[in-house]
Amino acid sequence: MKFCSKCGKHYKDSDTFCKDCGIKLTQGAADSSGLADLKESASQALSEASSKAKEAFSEENRQKLQEKASTAAGNVSRFQALSANAKKIIAAIIVILLALGCYEYFSPEKQVERALTNSIQVLTEVSSKSPDEYTDSDIKKLASIYPEAKRDTITKAMQKTRDYVLQHPGEKANSDFMRGLGTDLLSNVKVKSVTIQGNRANVTLVNKNGARIGVQPMKKVDGDWYMMNLPGDRD
């Protein structure tokens, strides 16, 4: 039987060259040449893996793991050692804290504040561009801060404005000053307080220094809050 001295593959005595390596076959059993290299590589890989395993489970690391496990076990033991009444009190406190946190996030006032904050962020981002710079993504994003029933109208209006400015380059310079002024004002707006009455809300706004800017009215449409008096919004 012949074999390949490089890859160790066996062949019939009538074969002359290795089909994979292309080198001339050797008569006899595969021994030290190709297989020896494979054995050496495997041995080296095993040695490195063993070294890393020993390092991971060194005395220092084992001690750290034991300390963490001991601390966790101690906490569980202390809790188990408490009386039934103490456990109930702790559980009640946890439930109250969770309830307060959920109310803080899902309260109507917070919903209004998040809706207004998101609208201001979108207006700030889009208004920092000239109409001829509006992308389809900008238009879609701005339309999203309007109620669903008005988004198609707003989208078409913005597209029409973009097309007009592209056809009349002089209009871009005329709007630069007002656009910059609006962007600066919006970027400094913060919510101070929210007052809700049914499907309407008034949000008191202040600037970065805490000085009162004014009141922004909000409306609730199909379960979501939207700014009133948005551009093109006559409701």
Side-chain angles (χ1 to χ4, degrees), residues 27-228:
Q27 185 70 36
D31 50 13
S32 59
S33 54
L35 293 179
D37 292 339
L38 293 175
K39 290 179 181 179
E40 183 179 353
S41 298
S43 177
Q44 183 177 356
L46 182 61
S47 177
E48 291 178 357
S50 176
S51 177
K52 291 182 178 180
K54 288 180 180 179
E55 180 182 350
F57 291 95
S58 63
E59 183 62 32
E60 181 181 356
N61 289 337
R62 284 200 300 271
Q63 186 175 357
K64 289 180 180 179
L65 289 173
Q66 289 174 354
E67 289 176 355
K68 290 181 180 180
S70 177
T71 300
N75 291 335
V76 172
S77 298
R78 283 193 291 273
F79 181 78
Q80 292 176 340
L82 294 174
S83 64
N85 288 335
K87 291 179 181 178
K88 290 179 180 179
I89 292 173
I90 292 175
I93 292 174
I94 293 174
V95 170
I96 292 172
L97 291 175
L98 289 174
L100 289 174
C102 289
Y103 178 78
E104 177 68 14
Y105 184 82
F106 293 106
S107 68
E109 291 79 9
K110 285 298 179 182
Q111 292 178 23
V112 172
E113 183 176 342
R114 283 196 299 273
L116 178 57
T117 300
N118 175 67
S119 297
I120 290 174
Q121 289 175 346
V122 172
L123 286 169
T124 303
E125 179 181 345
V126 176
S127 65
S128 66
K129 300 180 179 181
S130 175
D132 64 318
E133 298 172 333
Y134 291 163
T135 64
D136 290 339
S137 178
D138 293 329
I139 294 174
K140 182 178 180 180
K141 186 179 294 185
L142 186 63
S144 71
I145 68 175
Y146 290 80
E148 181 70 34
K150 297 188 176 183
R151 291 176 188 173
D152 185 58
T153 300
I154 296 301
T155 298
K156 291 179 179 178
M158 290 188 67
Q159 291 172 339
K160 184 176 180 181
T161 300
R162 178 179 61 185
D163 294 341
Y164 178 81
V165 175
L166 285 172
Q167 297 170 9
H168 302 80
E171 296 296 328
K172 177 179 179 180
N174 294 335
S175 62
D176 280 348
F177 174 76
M178 292 304 297
R179 188 176 72 252
L181 184 64
T183 302
D184 182 63
L185 177 62
L186 288 169
S187 63
N188 292 316
V189 167
K190 293 183 179 181
V191 175
K192 181 179 181 180
S193 62
V194 178
T195 303
I196 299 176
Q197 293 182 341
N199 290 330
R200 291 289 187 270
N202 288 320
V203 183
T204 302
L205 302 175
V206 296
N207 62 21
K208 62 181 180 180
N209 297 320
R212 189 176 185 274
I213 296 176
V215 175
Q216 171 62 49
M218 303 284 289
K219 59 185 175 183
K220 192 174 187 179
V221 181
D222 297 329
D224 295 317
W225 288 95
Y226 299 93
M227 293 176 67
M228 295 180 65

